[in-house]
Amino acid sequence: MKDFTTTSPVLYGALEAGGTKMVCAVGDESGEIHEQVSIPTTTPEETMPKVIAYFKDKPIRALGIACFGPVDVRKESRTYGTILETPKLPWRHYPIVGAMQDALKLPIGFDTDVNGSLLGEVTWGSAKGLTDAVYFTIGTGIGAGVMTNGKLLHGMLHPEAGHIKMSVEPGDPYKGKCPSHGTCFEGMASGPAIEARWGQPARELANRPEVWTLEACYIAQALLTAIMFLSPQRIILGGGVMHQAQLFPLIRQKVRELINGYLKTRELDDLDSYIVPASLHDDQGIMGSVKLALDAAAGE
Ligand code: ADP
Ligand code: ZN
């Protein structure tokens, strides 16, 4: 008879806290997800008891939370583990780490949703083994996770790379969707920005080449900034908009043009391997959350 006491893997809880849904899962140290549920994100009063109930009776050793932002990820901060000035008003100042800690009494790892996705890709996916990588998500919003020298970058708070300044492309009359900056990266290139500019949801514009040529120009501008500023060994692109696979060759070509021969590295010689899609089938966030839990259990 199989001895389950010695062969069952140690389990870890993973919570990918998103603006529309909370993905709750249990996984193991190989990144395998054993079970997963999705709970709509409404208000903390309604949503969090369901999240807690999911994890409460699970035999998990630690919990990892990758959360929509902005969030306080500064361990030394009085408000560590809380959601900050989010436009999702019911969640403003909500102490998500504290709430889970009180309920579960377990080690908890915590980071931004995009750092979580990057961590998933660095641990098990298309940036495996790298020490310096950037993950952009291009969806309802735009954000970036950054790893430098093997550590997820927080700095003052955490990067907000969706709000870097863009040069408006010649002939693009769109004024941008960001309430704070108008024509920042998110304002010009998020899914809602595409829909507002072209008058149709992004996914319905697959056959309009001009949409994706312009989109690639903005994404390439952001990648150029990341390359020149952070010197990543690889850049991963995920999020709903990047399901338009035709973007990848357009982005690579535009990045090559923008670099304009200034940098010559082995990585940039092979842009097909340098600018890559997320590889974990939209599980990168939840798998990264498992890794946050593993690291928390190890006391990191
Ligand atoms: P979120 O950012 O809300 O977590 P997603 O990354 O899936 O979720 O992004 C949703 C956005 O991506 C929507 O604005 C939608 O227009 C866009 N999107 C989703 N699927 C596609 C697709 N196949 N092609 C183009 N755009 C898409
Ligand atoms: Zn902005």
Side-chain angles (χ1 to χ4, degrees):
M1 207 175 110
K2 202 166 176 188
D3 181 357
F4 285 102
T5 53
T6 53
T7 53
S8 309
V10 177
L11 297 176
Y12 297 87
L15 169 58
E16 188 184 8
T20 53
K21 61 182 194 291
M22 299 275 175
V23 181
C24 306
V26 172
D28 64 31
E29 65 177 4
S30 70
E32 191 184 327
I33 302 298
H34 294 225
E35 56 168 283
Q36 176 172 321
V37 301
S38 187
I39 295 164
T41 304
T42 56
T43 62
E45 294 70 28
E46 190 175 29
T47 304
M48 292 308 292
K50 295 178 188 164
V51 171
I52 288 166
Y54 174 81
F55 289 111
K56 193 79 184 161
D57 61 344
K58 302 284 187 298
I60 52 176
R61 181 170 288 183
L63 175 70
I65 306 175
C67 188
F68 70 88
V71 282
D72 192 344
V73 290
R74 302 164 296 185
K75 285 228 169 90
E76 71 292 350
S77 165
R78 208 170 38 81
T79 52
Y80 171 74
T82 61
I83 298 170
L84 299 175
E85 310 307 321
T86 169
K88 299 178 221 317
L89 294 182
W91 293 89
R92 219 173 244 196
H93 307 305
Y94 182 71
I96 190 163
V97 172
M100 296 309 292
Q101 183 97 61
D102 288 349
L104 304 179
K105 313 260 187 293
L106 288 172
I108 295 189
F110 182 58
D111 217 310
T112 61
D113 48 3
V114 271
N115 265 352
S117 293
L118 172 61
L119 188 60
E121 292 288 346
V122 167
T123 312
W124 292 295
S126 59
K128 199 169 167 183
L130 300 183
T131 55
D132 294 80
V134 174
Y135 180 103
F136 280 99
T137 182
I138 303 172
T140 308
I142 296 184
V146 178
M147 179 173 271
T148 59
N149 282 327
K151 284 215 174 319
L152 294 170
L153 179 64
H154 294 150
M156 171 185 72
L157 183 66
H158 52 70
E160 278 287 356
H163 299 275
I164 59 175
K165 197 166 164 59
M166 292 275 110
S167 300
V168 175
E169 294 290 331
D172 181 5
Y174 186 53
K175 297 285 177 249
K177 210 171 174 23
C178 178
S180 304
H181 319 111
T183 60
C184 66
F185 184 23
E186 181 171 297
M188 294 308 263
S190 64
I194 297 172
E195 178 166 351
R197 182 192 284 106
W198 300 98
Q200 253 177 299
R203 68 167 79 238
E204 290 169 23
L205 293 162
N207 298 324
R208 298 268 300 274
E210 65 278 24
V211 172
W212 308 107
T213 308
L214 183 64
E215 180 71 7
C217 286
Y218 289 118
I219 296 173
Q221 284 192 42
L223 266 52
L224 182 77
T225 299
I227 292 165
M228 295 305 183
F229 217 144
L230 298 164
S231 202
Q233 297 160 311
R234 188 163 296 156
I235 298 176
I236 303 148
L237 300 176
V241 171
M242 294 313 303
H243 287 134
Q244 295 294 324
Q246 74 245 44
L247 276 169
F248 281 90
L250 297 170
I251 293 166
R252 293 182 188 116
Q253 188 192 333
K254 199 70 200 171
V255 165
R256 197 184 309 282
E257 280 172 38
L258 290 174
I259 293 176
N260 199 21
Y262 181 81
L263 268 177
K264 292 199 194 322
T265 64
R266 181 173 48 82
E267 288 85 348
L268 293 177
D269 276 348
D270 181 11
L271 287 185
D272 289 355
S273 316
Y274 186 69
I275 298 167
V276 297
S279 63
L280 298 173
H281 313 289
D282 287 337
D283 273 347
Q284 52 274 19
I286 201 71
M287 290 172 75
S289 306
V290 171
K291 178 68 166 117
L292 287 171
L294 278 159
D295 291 349
E300 284 168 31

